[in-house]
């Protein structure tokens, strides 16, 4: 995927998230592991994992960067969303740092080649509040 231009991935290399009514696109190689993660999530909670956003075109990245700024959106052309290798879950209480879905995903997503990066945690290692905190963002680490 990284051989493609960020935000300009060929549609043949993307696939829709099978259970998502919006048919959100991610990198085709990530679908299998995301589906495995969803199966475990559904077994735990009796519902599918909610996907808010995934693949972002370069134009979408530019728009979000202009609208949200650098604390929330990555510099256009650098986001893992631009390769279809990241998902965002909804910004709701259950998916927040204190929510049951986030806590489960944080503890279990790595088993399915997905991760929540340490630099996105609510607090930094020195105990200060992290202005870049994102409970909703998970990245694909598989191949």
């Amino acid at each position: 995927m990284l051989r493609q231009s960020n935000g300009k991935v060929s549609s043949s290399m993307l696939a829709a998230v099978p259970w998502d009514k919006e048919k959100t696109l991610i990198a085709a190689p990530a679908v299998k592991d995301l589906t495995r993660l969803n199966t475990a999530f559904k077994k735990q909670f009796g519902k599918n994992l909610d996907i808010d956003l995934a693949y972002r075109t370069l134009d979408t990245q530019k728009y979000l960067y202009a609208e949200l700024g650098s604390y929330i959106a990555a510099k256009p052309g650098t986001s893992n969303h631009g390769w279809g290798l990241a998902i965002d879950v909804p910004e709701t209480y259950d998916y927040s740092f204190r929510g049951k879905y986030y806590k489960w995903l944080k503890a279990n997503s790595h088993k399915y080649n997905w991760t929540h990066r340490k630099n996105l945690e609510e607090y930094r290692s020195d105990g200060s509040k992290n202005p870049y905190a994102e409970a909703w963002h998970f990245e694909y680490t598989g191949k």
Side-chain angles (χ1 to χ4, degrees), residues 61-76 131-132 134:
Q61 290 177 58
K62 289 175 183 176
Y63 170 79
L64 291 172
Y65 191 77
E67 288 293 311
L68 303 173
S70 62
Y71 280 116
I72 301 295
K75 182 179 175 185
Y132 299 101
E134 294 185 12

Side-chain angles (χ1 to χ4, degrees), residues 1-141:
M1 289 308 297
L2 299 180
R3 291 186 188 124
Q4 299 286 308
S5 292
N6 186 298
K8 295 183 178 189
V9 174
S10 166
S11 60
S12 66
M13 299 187 78
L14 299 169
V17 175
W19 65 91
D20 181 55
K21 67 181 185 281
E22 301 294 324
K23 297 300 177 202
T24 302
L25 298 174
I26 64 170
V31 171
K32 182 178 177 183
D33 286 332
L34 185 61
T35 300
R36 291 175 46 239
L37 175 62
N38 183 61
T39 299
F41 184 91
K42 191 171 183 176
K43 183 177 180 182
Q44 179 70 26
F45 297 108
K47 66 181 277 336
N48 286 319
L49 178 64
D50 295 301
I51 306 295
D52 190 25
L53 297 167
Y55 174 68
R56 292 182 188 154
T57 65
L58 188 57
D59 285 341
T60 300
Q61 290 177 58
K62 289 175 183 176
Y63 170 79
L64 291 172
Y65 191 77
E67 288 293 311
L68 303 173
S70 62
Y71 280 116
I72 301 295
K75 182 179 175 185
T78 67
S79 171
N80 280 346
H81 286 287
W83 286 294
L85 299 175
I87 60 167
D88 287 349
V89 295
E91 294 177 51
T92 61
Y93 181 80
D94 285 335
Y95 286 105
S96 74
F97 289 113
R98 288 162 194 73
K100 62 185 177 181
Y101 300 155
Y102 169 79
K103 290 176 182 178
W104 186 90
L105 287 166
K106 182 70 176 176
N108 293 283
S109 63
H110 69 278
K111 297 174 190 172
Y112 307 95
N113 297 317
W114 287 87
T115 189
H116 181 264
R117 288 186 286 134
K118 200 167 188 68
N119 68 328
L120 298 176
E121 289 295 330
E122 186 173 18
Y123 295 97
R124 293 179 169 152
S125 58
D126 65 4
S128 65
K129 190 96 163 143
N130 180 5
Y132 299 101
E134 294 185 12
W136 60 84
H137 183 85
F138 288 81
E139 295 180 358
Y140 185 59
T141 59

